[in-house]
């Protein structure tokens, strides 16, 4: 249920304060309410997306491959968070995408099933695959209806009496205990001009679920200037910023008319076919993952090169354009950091520096050549690489990951395997900011899986 | 015109059944339009032959075609503006345009406007030209030109 700040006479009844109402915050809130426990959810925005809120709060100075216009488009400040612009693509990370994580893919499996069901899909979307061509498997993306947590998908959560939603409020500061082993107080800015101090009691936890940018921003802003910011004793907050490099139309695949791949059963739902390197091909490319969507296009009769390829394939052929969605290496120099200025709540303005590594490009090129060789060797088809599109036309997926990364060593990470900020007993983080590495998969399914796992961990404690 | 007639890039095309073209192998690497977007449908054109991952057999077949190259040099995706137009004609395809040039003793170059040309009046138009050394070569995906070497 929605509450006003003046209606809250005591913060004592809440078991947790959840900062953010996107898929991560909503999922954690749901775990609490299912156990009859109460939470306060704090959301900067209103019930719907408002331009002035967006313009005041989602401000990022972008350097590198993504500019200042890019990041704010994927950091929505309203009830339901960035699910408001989610395109509905789902795919879990695979085991090889999680080798650097302190959590294994196997441990996440039941939570992926949970996420699939929560988001309206059959859990088999996580495992179904079929033969592609030698060296590559067909691993389709699931692309069904979108779950908008500001709309129908969040209705049951936000209307529940155990969940109190405070809109137009921003947590602008976490105050650490003197010994820095936990959070003793948080400051909430309630628009337009009220600062409210909320004491965190021994039974309460704080969950940051403010998005890939917001989680880092709140930590970086939580300092009085004399000590390191909360969670930032080893200068790791904001580092390892990752996106998913997207290379649309980076190659043409011409195959014999008879070429066909097995399509998923109806229970898979709407799908996007994609070729994904098998483990051997993946290792040979240097261990960075990628997927290549097969989008059928008409042959281009006036393209003489294509005509030759078709002739070489026996005269009857069809064409696909390949759209690559790829992994970006986790690099500590890609980071968000505070710069001059603040948002209306007093949180620092951020600069995001995100530059793809040359090896990120080389891996994609390696895969395209491997795919070309595979289909040519089998005489199934031929691949034409479109160099311009690969190197001059890269974009992202609107995925902000890695800024409070998970790891067992506090020197190279911000949260532990339970998503708890290293050293802080009552501070946890939900969302894609905890991803240790990003794989190529759209992050929403993993965000919900990790949040459900965290919700169980927190909500299950009496 | 059969498929053998226009093989690729500047590799060759046939006039009257004999493959013509030849010395213009270098033009094969003329930068081609990377993406041609026609209304209502999407087409993707690759940059050059080298961007294709081919087999040795593919390349042998390609070399065989090159051996049969003849007198006219093909300039794919090239317009030759101001190269001394003698006359123009409506033709059905590039081979017909090349044949007109072949048959004309004064013709040293031609330019054919593809059916995909945005201007309706230029589609399938063939210009017979006198200049053997055109003042400029303009890369434009809507044209194929030919030049006597």
């Amino acid at each position: 249920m929605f509450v006003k700040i003046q209606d809250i006479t005591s913060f004592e009844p809440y078991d947790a304060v959840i900062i953010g109402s996107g898929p991560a915050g909503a999922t954690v809130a749901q775990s609490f309410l299912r156990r009859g426990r109460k939470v306060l959810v704090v959301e900067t925005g209103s019930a719907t997306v408002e331009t002035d809120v967006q313009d005041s709060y989602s401000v990022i100075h972008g350097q590198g491959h993504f500019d200042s216009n890019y990041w704010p488009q994927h950091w929505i400040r309203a009830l339901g968070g960035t699910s408001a612009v989610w395109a509905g693509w789902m795919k879990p990370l695979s085991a090889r995408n999680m080798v650097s994580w302190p959590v294994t893919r196997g441990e996440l499996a039941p939570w992926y099933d949970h996420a699939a069901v929560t988001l309206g899909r059959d859990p088999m979307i996580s495992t179904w695959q079929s033969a592609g061509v030698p060296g590559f498997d067909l691993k389709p993306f699931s692309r069904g209806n979108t779950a908008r947590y500001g709309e129908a998908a969040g209705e049951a959560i936000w209307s529940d009496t155990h969940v109190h939603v405070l809109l137009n409020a921003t947590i602008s500061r976490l105050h650490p205990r003197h010994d820095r082993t936990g959070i003793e107080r948080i400051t909430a800015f309630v628009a337009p001009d009220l600062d409210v101090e909320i004491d965190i009691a021994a039974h309460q936890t704080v969950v940051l679920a403010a998005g890939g940018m917001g989680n880092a921003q709140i930590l970086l802003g939580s300092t009085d200037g004399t000590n390191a910011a909360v969670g930032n004793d080893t200068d790791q907050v904001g580092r390892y910023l990752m996106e998913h490099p997207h290379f649309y139309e980076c190659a043409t695949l011409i195959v014999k008319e008879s070429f066909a791949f097995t399509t998923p059963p109806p229970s898979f739902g709407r799908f996007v076919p994609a070729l994904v390197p098998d483990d051997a091909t993946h290792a040979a490319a240097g261990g960075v993952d990628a997927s290549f969507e097969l989008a059928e296009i008409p042959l281009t009769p006036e393209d003489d090169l294509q005509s030759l390829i078709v002739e070489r394939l026996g005269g009857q052929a069809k064409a696909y354009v390949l759209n690559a969605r790829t992994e970006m290496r986790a690099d500590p120099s890609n980071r968000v950091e505070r710069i001059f200025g603040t948002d209306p709540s007093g949180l620092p303005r951020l600069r995001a520096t995100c530059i793809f590594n040359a090896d990120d490009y080389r891996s994609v090129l390696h895969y395209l050549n491997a795919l070309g060789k595979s289909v040519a060797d089998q005489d199934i088809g031929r691949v034409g690489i479109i160099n311009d599109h690969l190197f001059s036309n890269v974009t992202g997926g609107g995925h902000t990951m890695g800024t409070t990364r998970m790891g067992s060593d506090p020197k190279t990470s911000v949260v532990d395997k339970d998503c708890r900020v290293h050293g802080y007993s009552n501070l946890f983080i939900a969302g894609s900011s905890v991803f240790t590495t990003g794989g190529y998969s759209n992050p929403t399914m993993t965000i919900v899986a990790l949040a459900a796992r965290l919700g169980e961990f927190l909500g299950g404690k009496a | 015109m059969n498929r053998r007639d226009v093989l690729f890039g500047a590799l060759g095309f046939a006039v009257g059944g004999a493959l013509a073209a030849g010395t213009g192998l270098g033009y094969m690497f003329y930068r081609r339009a990377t993406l041609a977007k026609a209304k209502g449908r999407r087409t993707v054109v690759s940059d050059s032959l080298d961007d294709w991952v081919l087999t040795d057999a593919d390349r042998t077949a390609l070399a065989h075609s090159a051996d049969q190259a003849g007198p006219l040099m093909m300039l794919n995706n090239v317009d030759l503006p101001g190269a001394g137009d003698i006359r123009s004609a409506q033709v059905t395809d590039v081979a017909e345009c090349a044949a007109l040039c072949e048959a004309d003793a004064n013709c040293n170059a031609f330019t054919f406007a593809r059916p995909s040309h945005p201007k309706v009046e230029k589609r399938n138009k063939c210009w017979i030209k006198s200049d053997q050394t055109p003042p400029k070569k303009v890369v434009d995906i809507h044209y194929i030109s030919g030049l006597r070497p």
Side-chain angles (χ1 to χ4, degrees):
Chain A
M1 58 184 279
F2 296 96
V3 294
K4 301 264 182 229
I5 190 70
Q6 57 269 31
D7 300 334
I8 302 176
T9 50
S10 166
F11 291 96
E12 190 69 21
Y14 300 121
D15 291 307
V17 178
I18 299 172
I19 304 166
S21 66
T27 303
V28 175
Q30 195 168 35
S31 302
F32 274 88
L33 79 84
R34 280 180 177 155
R35 286 170 181 77
R37 305 183 69 201
K38 291 191 130 180
V39 294
L40 176 68
V41 176
V42 185
E43 168 57 52
T44 295
S46 302
T48 56
V49 182
E50 289 172 359
T51 313
D52 59 334
V53 173
Q54 200 63 22
D55 291 348
S56 311
Y57 287 90
S58 282
V59 181
I60 305 267
H61 178 226
Q63 290 188 323
H65 280 92
F66 300 103
D67 65 15
S68 306
N69 292 320
Y70 183 83
W71 298 106
Q73 291 173 34
H74 316 290
W75 185 16
I76 303 303
R77 316 300 291 270
L79 185 69
T82 306
S83 72
V85 296
W86 182 43
W89 290 55
M90 280 172 58
K91 199 161 184 25
L93 295 170
S94 58
R96 70 190 188 201
N97 298 148
M98 293 183 67
V99 290
S100 316
W101 292 51
V103 183
T104 65
R105 176 63 176 79
E107 288 170 70
L108 267 196
W111 301 110
Y112 270 130
D113 290 350
H114 176 97
V117 173
T118 303
L119 295 164
R121 317 288 167 94
D122 189 311
M124 57 84 82
I125 65 164
S126 292
T127 50
W128 191 90
Q129 67 179 77
S130 70
V133 300
F136 293 81
D137 300 315
L138 187 87
K139 292 185 176 177
F141 291 86
S142 166
R143 195 189 177 181
N145 293 334
T146 53
R148 307 244 185 263
Y149 283 92
E151 299 167 26
E155 213 175 314
I157 304 169
W158 310 136
S159 62
D160 195 284
T161 53
H162 292 89
V163 177
H164 287 186
V165 184
L166 184 61
L167 295 174
N168 310 116
T170 303
I171 300 302
S172 59
R173 184 90 169 262
L174 311 173
H175 303 270
R177 289 182 206 136
H178 185 65
D179 60 4
R180 296 175 75 83
T181 58
I183 300 300
E184 64 177 13
R185 185 164 51 90
I186 61 180
T187 305
F189 170 77
V190 182
D193 54 11
L194 183 65
D195 273 328
V196 180
E197 301 295 331
I198 303 172
D199 287 330
I200 302 300
H203 71 281
Q204 294 174 317
T205 51
V206 177
V207 179
L208 278 177
M213 290 296 174
N215 289 344
Q217 184 189 36
I218 292 169
L219 290 180
L220 291 172
S222 294
T223 173
D224 57 9
T226 56
N227 283 309
V230 169
N232 202 29
D233 292 342
T234 55
D235 188 26
Q236 293 300 295
V237 173
R239 292 187 181 272
Y240 301 97
L241 173 64
M242 294 176 286
E243 245 282 0
H244 286 132
H246 280 46
F247 306 92
Y248 288 102
E249 301 181 342
C250 62
T252 312
L253 170 66
I254 297 183
V255 288
K256 289 182 173 170
E257 189 66 46
S258 57
F259 171 83
F261 45 80
T262 311
T263 53
S267 56
F268 193 98
R270 203 172 146 206
F271 70 96
V272 177
L275 289 171
V276 175
D278 66 16
D279 285 348
T281 309
H282 174 259
V288 165
D289 219 340
S291 71
F292 297 91
E293 177 195 351
L294 297 166
E296 194 159 356
I297 54 164
L299 282 163
T300 312
E302 63 265 33
D303 181 347
D304 309 332
L305 299 191
Q306 278 201 14
S307 302
L308 172 94
I309 304 297
V310 173
E311 185 176 1
R312 295 287 302 156
L313 291 170
Q316 295 295 315
K318 57 189 173 186
Y320 296 93
V321 67
L322 302 185
N323 297 322
R325 295 175 175 82
T326 69
E327 180 169 13
M328 184 180 165
R329 280 164 174 79
D331 181 339
S333 65
N334 286 322
R335 65 186 298 195
V336 293
E337 55 200 320
R338 49 185 305 173
I339 53 174
F340 67 93
T342 64
D343 73 8
S345 79
L347 282 168
R349 253 170 33 97
L350 298 177
R351 170 188 292 146
T353 307
C354 189
I355 304 170
F356 305 149
N357 184 319
D359 285 334
D360 298 339
Y361 288 95
R362 278 192 198 98
S363 301
V364 183
L365 203 50
H366 175 95
Y367 284 135
L368 288 174
N369 278 299
L371 179 63
K373 188 167 182 332
S374 172
V375 294
D377 285 351
Q378 303 290 315
D379 204 28
I380 304 166
R382 303 289 186 273
V383 166
I385 298 168
I386 304 170
N387 194 64
D388 260 12
H389 290 190
L390 200 48
F391 290 94
S392 312
N393 207 22
V394 62
T395 181
H399 308 153
T400 311
M401 302 171 287
T403 53
T404 64
R405 93 195 292 236
M406 190 194 292
S408 39
D409 183 355
K411 290 195 181 70
T412 55
S413 61
V414 177
V415 301
D416 66 15
K417 66 175 174 43
D418 297 323
C419 296
R420 186 198 312 254
V421 174
H422 289 303
Y424 288 78
S425 59
N426 60 355
L427 179 60
F428 295 82
I429 300 186
S432 52
S433 64
V434 305
F435 289 13
T436 309
T437 52
Y440 66 81
S441 302
N442 306 71
T444 299
M445 191 179 187
T446 306
I447 290 170
V448 172
L450 284 171
R453 177 174 167 273
L454 174 61
E456 164 98 354
F457 181 80
L458 296 175
K461 291 197 306 177
Chain B
M1 189 169 60
N2 60 37
R3 264 182 294 112
R4 196 185 58 157
D5 290 346
V6 176
L7 263 179
F8 30 48
L11 246 198
F13 63 92
V15 179
L19 275 167
T23 53
L25 255 175
Y27 288 104
M28 186 171 72
F29 305 108
Y30 241 97
R31 201 176 170 295
R32 298 160 59 94
T34 54
L35 179 69
K37 279 190 177 167
K39 249 187 182 169
R41 63 163 219 177
R42 191 170 50 162
T43 58
V44 176
V45 179
S46 297
D47 246 8
S48 86
L49 185 65
D50 279 350
D51 288 325
W52 285 86
V53 184
L54 298 176
T55 64
D56 290 346
D58 292 336
R59 298 199 182 276
T60 307
L62 174 66
H64 180 69
S65 305
D67 288 345
Q68 299 180 35
L72 268 171
M73 186 165 72
M74 162 96 164
L75 305 173
N76 195 24
N77 300 330
V78 167
D79 186 18
L80 302 174
D85 288 358
I86 301 172
R87 62 196 163 91
S88 65
Q90 279 300 123
V91 295
T92 56
D93 53 37
V94 67
E96 188 182 341
C97 187
L100 287 177
C101 184
E102 283 286 301
D104 187 332
N106 296 319
C107 179
N108 282 313
F110 72 84
T111 294
F112 169 74
R114 289 194 156 107
S116 58
H117 198 291
K119 291 186 176 167
V120 178
E121 68 274 16
K122 292 202 171 178
R123 291 175 187 170
N124 283 66
K125 202 168 175 182
C126 173
W127 290 268
I128 302 298
K129 298 167 182 281
S130 59
D131 278 15
Q132 199 170 353
T133 314
K136 54 185 171 180
K137 294 169 184 168
V138 178
V139 176
D140 186 330
I141 59 165
H142 300 110
Y143 295 98
I144 303 175
S145 292
L147 201 58
R148 285 197 201 276

